[in-house]
Amino acid sequence: MRRKEIQMPKNAAPGLRDRKKAQRREDILAAAIGLFEKKGIDATTVADIAEACDVSAPTVFNYFGSKDGILVAIIEEGTQRKRESGSRRPRLEGVPLVSIVLDLFLEISEETLDIASRRVWRYAEASVIRRPETDLSERFRNNSRLLIDAIEERLEIYELRTRTGPPMDTRYLAMLLHDLWMPCYLTLITDPQTTMDAHNAQLSERITPLLSYVFDDTTLAATRLRPTGETA
């Protein structure tokens, strides 16, 4: 008599295996972040990372491909988490436009430093300049494009009337504000003496005049949400 085989649920073993793989991946990232901040990225080897989380160097390569792959994962995944949490935050209404914009960009700066240390961001920025053709540089530039997307999403819900009459193009505004923020951000990550208060003051000095020149007094005094369904 043929023995009947017992069929196990197809997702039982893979579920446990996938959880272990995901945990190992998180362990590698955590170890890398700690070593990057302590030793610097150039001084940290894949072997160092592997030893810190008790796996082999080939295992680290299997997960991320290279040290730059680890750095990309830290930045991209951290940015995605922050973007998702930011999209769920309550939106300010009836407050000055300057407050809304400065609050947004201070939040971006703080969350940037939550994702990785100033040292890590300096390395990433310098890599884009030194080696613009690499995958790290291209994906880092794409991360900047995604940041502009996020800024646009946070601003397009508001009625932004200009002094000349027509509403402001939100995409253009997002790019313009991003470019004003960038020098302040570079100062923040390169100058250890720059506090968040000083950073916020620098942002205000750069952003406030632009908003005052462009937007009408009603928008500046108390920005309103767009009616539901209305687009920019």
Side-chain angles (χ1 to χ4, degrees), residues 1-20:
M1 184 176 179
R2 189 173 180 178
R3 192 171 180 181
K4 186 178 180 180
E5 294 182 358
I6 299 175
Q7 296 293 324
M8 297 296 292
K10 290 185 178 181
N11 62 349
L16 177 59
R17 184 164 58 249
D18 288 347
R19 288 195 295 274
K20 288 183 176 180

Side-chain angles (χ1 to χ4, degrees), residues 30 62 190 226:
N62 286 339
T190 56
R226 292 181 184 279

Side-chain angles (χ1 to χ4, degrees), residues 12-60:
L16 177 59
R17 184 164 58 249
D18 288 347
R19 288 195 295 274
K20 288 183 176 180
K21 288 177 65 176
Q23 184 58 57
R24 187 177 297 118
R25 189 177 188 280
E26 291 302 313
D27 290 345
I28 293 171
L29 287 177
I33 290 172
L35 287 168
F36 288 167
E37 294 180 359
K38 181 180 179 181
K39 299 175 61 175
I41 298 176
D42 285 326
T44 300
T45 65
V46 171
D48 293 333
I49 297 169
E51 182 180 1
C53 55
D54 198 26
V55 299
S56 67
T59 296
V60 177

Side-chain angles (χ1 to χ4, degrees), residues 40-101:
I41 298 176
D42 285 326
T44 300
T45 65
V46 171
D48 293 333
I49 297 169
E51 182 180 1
C53 55
D54 198 26
V55 299
S56 67
T59 296
V60 177
F61 281 114
N62 286 339
Y63 276 87
F64 296 100
S66 66
K67 189 166 62 175
D68 278 356
I70 296 174
L71 180 58
V72 165
I74 292 169
I75 292 173
E76 288 184 340
E77 294 174 21
T79 300
Q80 182 60 29
R81 287 194 301 271
K82 295 299 184 182
R83 184 174 180 181
E84 290 172 356
S85 63
S87 67
R88 296 190 294 269
R89 287 195 176 90
R91 300 297 180 248
L92 299 174
E93 182 181 18
V95 299
L97 179 60
V98 169
S99 298
I100 291 174
V101 174

Side-chain angles (χ1 to χ4, degrees), residues 89-184:
R89 287 195 176 90
R91 300 297 180 248
L92 299 174
E93 182 181 18
V95 299
L97 179 60
V98 169
S99 298
I100 291 174
V101 174
L102 291 180
D103 180 78
L104 170 59
F105 279 92
L106 186 60
E107 175 187 307
I108 291 171
S109 298
E110 290 174 339
E111 291 184 345
T112 295
L113 297 185
D114 284 341
I115 293 168
S117 68
R118 301 184 192 206
R119 190 174 195 176
V120 170
W121 286 110
R122 286 197 300 272
Y123 177 93
E125 292 286 353
S127 292
V128 174
I129 297 172
R130 293 197 312 265
R131 299 177 295 162
E133 75 289 348
T134 63
D135 180 61
L136 168 63
S137 295
E138 175 54 34
R139 293 172 72 176
F140 193 70
R141 286 190 293 268
N142 185 61
N143 198 62
S144 293
R145 290 190 285 269
L146 292 175
L147 176 56
I148 293 173
D149 290 344
I151 295 167
E152 181 182 8
E153 289 174 6
R154 293 286 291 272
L155 295 177
E156 66 183 1
I157 64 172
Y158 295 107
E159 293 183 339
L160 301 175
R161 298 289 174 179
T162 65
R163 292 192 178 278
T164 57
M168 182 74 168
D169 180 278
T170 314
R171 181 68 182 181
Y172 178 73
L173 177 62
M175 292 188 294
L176 190 60
L177 291 172
H178 173 272
D179 290 347
L180 288 174
W181 168 80
M182 181 58 71
C184 301

Side-chain angles (χ1 to χ4, degrees), residues 195-210:
T195 64
M196 291 307 297
D197 286 343
H199 175 66
N200 192 37
Q202 291 171 356
L203 286 173
S204 181
E205 288 175 2
R206 293 180 66 84
I207 290 174
T208 301
L210 171 72

